Amino acid sequence: MSPLRPHLYRALGHDGRLKHGRLPVRDRRELEQLLDEQAATLLLASPIPWPEPRLPPAQVTELCFQWGQLLGAGLPLLEALEICRSESATPQLKGILQRLIHDLRHGQTLSQALQLQSRHFDPGLIAGIRAAEHSGDLAAACTSQYRYRRWLEQFRRQLTQNLFGPLFSGLVCLAACAFLLLHTAPQLQQFAHNQGAELPAATRWLLHAVQWLQTPTPWLLLACTLLPGTPLLLRQEAVRQPLHRSLLRLPVLGPLWLHFELARFCRTLGLLYAAGLPLLAGLSVSRDVLRNEHLRAACATAIDKISSGKSLSTAFASPPPSTFTSPFPALFLRLLAVGEQAGRLGESLHTLAEHFTLHTQARMQQLQDLLPPLLTLLLGLVLITTTWSVISPLQQLLVPGGGLR
């Protein structure tokens, strides 16, 4: 079966009005069928030659909210999708929803229709919808997905806000220092040469650094770093896994990343487990939400252990290949064991998700408190060193004996 490709079209409605837009279809015949369902006749069509951009996460979150509200109010699924399509703000979203409506009318379930457009809908959402279709509570599943995605967006927004201000100030200060060095240091060197004086060692080192930056070597190194081969190398699992394992050991940032990943993992697995998805299937989907390759490898090892008959807590306590310890904290393993033994795994996962969310927020606050003074100290040292390296030789050259008069 050929993949879906977005097509631009122009059609004539049965009321005599011209229509235009975009729809994800496999070929022209399927496009004609979709337009016929909208009481329109195809006039012109052309596939978009470039890859279609992904649907923004905020729009997927809004869709989950609308589906939860409309389905919770008792509306049929097709009618809810029609309402969402009519209120769509972009042609891309309107076309995606029209495709979902078409697939549902031809006998597919919502999860199957979403799977056909997996470029826009992630595996966690699709698996949650599939489980809810079996349990019969699709509205609650959509609402839960909305809350989870809303939390994720708020965390990302908070992280961006906390880091943007200090990093922007640091970049401005470093740019000012670079301007001072590149324009003042060569003039200082020429002035000292004309006076027949010898510059201090710190100033000479600074001048050597400026001269090195003016050669092609650092820019060639930067170009080599940005070549396509480097990102491709970083995508290799053999490179990413030890790198990500090392990043988890960093102070402040390592625990922040670990707790954030575990919060996402527990929240996703809890949603799927509560919706009725089998545990192994839920673990496989929840593993895909992890962005740390070391944690993904540990989760894959745990899935293999569970498949061979091990308990959940014992499986997650097993270290991944090429390591000797499990990356999961003791509290995570303990609560999994308690929930598994008491038959309340869903409650344990929810408790773990809340615990790691609170710890992530605490780490974020800690980072927000530490970053400004650390950047201020670092930038102050850079400014003091740069200023002293420029002012000190001038003082020695202009004032006899190096003292002020």
Side-chain angles (χ1 to χ4, degrees), residues 269-281:
L269 182 58
L271 289 175
L272 299 178
Y273 187 79
L277 199 69
L279 180 60
L280 282 176

Side-chain angles (χ1 to χ4, degrees), residues 14 23 42 52 73 75 85 92 149 183 212 236 244:
H14 291 179
L23 285 171
L42 179 64
E52 185 181 24
L75 269 68
R85 185 186 67 85
Q92 180 189 22
R149 293 169 183 278
H183 288 77
W212 182 74
Q236 301 298 319
H244 287 186

Side-chain angles (χ1 to χ4, degrees), residues 256-276:
L256 173 63
W257 194 9
L258 175 63
H259 291 162
F260 173 66
E261 289 280 72
L262 291 179
R264 292 183 64 193
F265 177 81
C266 294
R267 199 173 294 272
T268 302
L269 182 58
L271 289 175
L272 299 178
Y273 187 79

Side-chain angles (χ1 to χ4, degrees), residues 168-197:
F168 179 77
S169 302
L171 288 176
V172 170
C173 187
L174 290 177
C177 292
F179 178 81
L180 177 65
L181 291 176
L182 292 175
H183 288 77
T184 305
Q187 298 177 10
L188 176 62
Q189 185 178 23
Q190 183 63 37
F191 180 73
H193 177 74
N194 294 337
Q195 295 292 327

Side-chain angles (χ1 to χ4, degrees), residues 144-405:
S144 298
Q145 288 287 338
Y146 163 73
R147 291 172 180 169
Y148 165 67
R149 293 169 183 278
R150 188 67 176 171
W151 166 80
L152 194 60
E153 290 179 4
Q154 290 175 350
F155 174 81
R156 289 171 175 169
R157 190 180 302 114
Q158 182 185 5
L159 180 63
T160 302
Q161 291 174 351
N162 291 342
L163 295 181
F164 177 77
L167 292 180
F168 179 77
S169 302
L171 288 176
V172 170
C173 187
L174 290 177
C177 292
F179 178 81
L180 177 65
L181 291 176
L182 292 175
H183 288 77
T184 305
Q187 298 177 10
L188 176 62
Q189 185 178 23
Q190 183 63 37
F191 180 73
H193 177 74
N194 294 337
Q195 295 292 327
E198 184 179 359
L199 294 173
T203 306
R204 292 199 304 270
W205 294 340
L206 190 62
L207 289 174
H208 289 319
V210 172
Q211 291 172 357
W212 182 74
L213 288 175
Q214 292 175 339
T215 63
T217 304
W219 308 110
L220 288 176
L221 292 175
L222 180 62
C224 292
T225 304
L226 298 178
L227 284 176
T230 303
L232 290 177
L233 180 63
L234 293 177
R235 291 177 185 175
Q236 301 298 319
E237 186 175 351
V239 177
R240 287 166 58 90
Q241 185 173 340
L243 176 62
H244 287 186
R245 183 171 64 248
S246 301
L247 292 177
L248 288 178
R249 297 172 181 170
L250 292 175
V252 182
L253 293 178
L256 173 63
W257 194 9
L258 175 63
H259 291 162
F260 173 66
E261 289 280 72
L262 291 179
R264 292 183 64 193
F265 177 81
C266 294
R267 199 173 294 272
T268 302
L269 182 58
L271 289 175
L272 299 178
Y273 187 79
L277 199 69
L279 180 60
L280 282 176
L283 285 171
S284 299
V285 175
S286 302
R287 174 183 175 272
D288 292 336
V289 307
L290 296 172
R291 294 295 177 262
N292 187 285
E293 290 295 337
H294 183 51
L295 293 178
R296 287 170 64 94
C299 188
T301 301
I303 292 174
D304 293 337
K305 297 286 185 181
I306 295 172
S307 301
S308 62
K310 299 288 185 180
S311 66
L312 191 63
S313 56
T314 304
F316 275 97
S318 304
S322 70
T323 59
F324 300 100
T325 58
S326 173
F328 300 104
L331 178 65
F332 175 83
L333 301 175
R334 179 59 180 163
L335 283 183
L336 284 184
V338 171
E340 192 175 22
Q341 294 171 2
R344 297 182 177 181
L345 184 58
E347 296 180 13
S348 295
L349 290 171
H350 176 73
T351 302
L352 284 170
E354 293 298 325
H355 169 77
F356 288 121
T357 298
L358 292 176
H359 270 249
T360 301
Q361 294 172 349
R363 294 286 181 177
M364 281 289 300
Q365 187 62 43
Q366 183 181 7
L367 180 63
Q368 185 179 3
D369 295 338
L370 286 177
L371 195 58
L374 286 178
L375 279 178
T376 302
L377 179 61
L378 178 61
L379 295 175
L381 291 175
V382 171
L383 285 174
I384 290 173
T385 304
T386 305
T387 305
W388 181 80
S389 300
V390 173
I391 299 299
S392 177
L394 287 176
Q395 182 182 356
Q396 294 180 7
L397 292 172
L398 297 177
V399 182
L404 293 176
R405 295 188 294 179

